[in-house]
Amino acid sequence: MKIKEIKVIVCSPGRNFVTVKVITDEGTYGIGDATLNGREMAVVAYLEEHVVPCLIGRDPNEIEDIWQYLYKGVYWRKGPITMASIAAIDMALWDIKGKIAGLPVYQLLGGKSRRGVTLYAHANGESINDTLDKVQEHIDQGFKAVRLQSAIPGLKVTYGVLGDKKDYFELQGNRPLPPEEEWSTQKYFNSIVDLMRQARARFGNEVEFLHDVHSRLTPIESARLGKLMEEFNLLFLEDASIAENQDSYKVIRQHTTTPLAIGETYNTIWDCKDLIQNQLIDYIRVAATHAGGITALRRIADFASIYNVKIAPHGAPDLSPVCFAAHMHLNIWAPNFGIQEFVGFGNDKSKEIFKHNFTVENGMAYMSEAPGLGIEFDEEAALKYPYKRSYLPVSRLEDGTLWNW
Ligand code: EZ4
Ligand code: CO
């Protein structure tokens, strides 16, 4: 069997998605996700110019060798563009292998470790009451874990809270430029404690709460936040501080027992090796799409398992349903699975393009026995919704200083 053709298709049913389709000379094909929010077209060029030509004629069964070839063989290792490209090819090859074997990918990984995948939902509000009402909606739908985010009073726009805007494109005034937001650590500290206190008062201690800081704090500020959050018993505090310097988490860790999660921007095991082996975090949040696919995330999960670190893959709206499918297989298999972030299966346009049999019931996701990744991609439908340039926001302090995570 040989790889005959590889297509790279960009569509925008709401968010931009980059999908790869690997087609064999025997007619089998597989799909993978290469979406890199705000840098989509760089990945497309990398794939089309430098990856696809090297893979035509190769045996699609050799997943590991192709992964090593694309990672070690290029001289320039790592980086988000390289790793998203490798990820998409890798997912597509696992999809093909599963289809040929007539087995879902999780069976190829070693089989199920659990019946279903526990999810956490998002409650993003313009005010504390607004956020709490959204928590209630998720609880009513059966979710047992919810991430709480609320706009910070006194700041123009808070990250992740879009208000009446449907997406970042609208938030940026329908111009293809990054929107700008404000940040003040002091204002944030005042509002986050109120949010959690009111949430526990209203919902009691049964439901799990999570919170994402989007790396807006310094390590010592994160340590303080962790201490303040202890009484509210979070499942985890996400992206408190950036950890380009992985040692910086020692400062946070030595002060607080609030569980820590990080990793959605990481591309390789090297980005989180020290955090994991020094047990400075509790959950590693790398996404299959951004860290080199199923082959790479499996390796990170196994490494993390010996240090009591669980996987909790990134699941924001800018990860395509194909990435969600890859995560489903990894999550159902991994002995050290923690929880999966979940924001629904997208709008109607997205559902028209990506077809699958995943179901959600009482806050858990289940999968069918469909071979491969268990997700189909409708190319014709995808072409109806072309790429729309869009960026994540830029964050500045109130005096104008750039303050990004
Ligand atoms: O900022 O997906 O946990 N989820 C998040 C997201 C991310 C975006 C980045 O592209 O932090 O909102
Ligand atoms: Co996050």
Side-chain angles (χ1 to χ4, degrees), residues 149 159 183 185 188 211-219 221-222 225 237-244 249 252 261-266 395 403-405:
Q149 311 292 134
Y159 185 72
W183 180 257
T185 294
Y188 168 68
H211 176 68
D212 190 349
V213 187
H214 293 110
S215 310
R216 295 294 197 272
L217 301 176
T218 66
E221 288 167 350
S222 292
L225 179 65
L237 182 64
E238 176 179 336
D239 284 346
S241 297
I242 203 90
E244 277 161 329
Y249 264 60
I252 311 173
I262 194 169
E264 64 183 49
T265 63
Y266 293 170
S395 183
W403 191 252
N404 264 56
W405 58 99

Side-chain angles (χ1 to χ4, degrees), residues 15 36-38 120 122 124 147 149 159-160 168 212-216 236 238-239 264-265 285 290 313-319 341 343 392-393 405:
R15 300 295 186 120
L36 186 63
N37 191 351
Y120 70 89
H122 282 196
N124 299 323
R147 189 190 87 163
Q149 311 292 134
Y159 185 72
Y168 283 115
D212 190 349
V213 187
H214 293 110
S215 310
R216 295 294 197 272
F236 63 61
E238 176 179 336
D239 284 346
E264 64 183 49
T265 63
R285 288 186 32 77
H290 298 136
H314 190 201
D318 56 327
L319 292 151
E341 182 178 24
V343 291
L392 285 165
W405 58 99

Side-chain angles (χ1 to χ4, degrees), residues 251-379:
V251 174
I252 311 173
R253 197 62 153 176
Q254 75 193 15
H255 288 292
T256 180
T257 57
T258 293
L260 303 172
I262 194 169
E264 64 183 49
T265 63
Y266 293 170
N267 314 129
T268 68
I269 197 166
W270 304 106
D271 300 328
C272 48
K273 177 180 79 67
D274 299 348
L275 289 168
I276 292 172
Q277 72 182 8
N278 295 323
Q279 293 179 272
L280 298 176
I281 56 170
D282 301 281
Y283 295 86
I284 180 69
R285 288 186 32 77
V286 285
T289 298
H290 298 136
I294 292 169
T295 298
L297 190 44
R298 177 184 60 174
R299 198 152 282 143
I300 292 172
D302 271 338
F303 178 66
S305 75
I306 57 175
Y307 297 103
N308 296 318
V309 175
K310 294 179 180 176
I311 61 165
H314 190 201
D318 56 327
L319 292 151
S320 103
V322 180
C323 177
F324 183 81
H327 288 166
M328 280 297 287
H329 292 274
L330 286 155
N331 292 338
I332 207 102
W333 153 75
N336 54 327
F337 166 67
I339 196 160
Q340 173 65 54
E341 182 178 24
F342 181 66
V343 291
F345 290 122
N347 60 19
D348 289 345
K349 292 175 189 170
S350 195
K351 286 175 186 153
E352 184 190 348
I353 299 169
F354 300 99
K355 302 235 166 57
H356 56 80
N357 295 321
F358 303 118
T359 53
V360 171
E361 206 182 315
N362 282 324
M364 288 182 74
Y366 299 93
M367 62 210 303
S368 71
E369 294 296 309
L373 289 176
I375 183 156
E376 289 300 326
F377 176 67
D378 185 334
E379 264 181 76

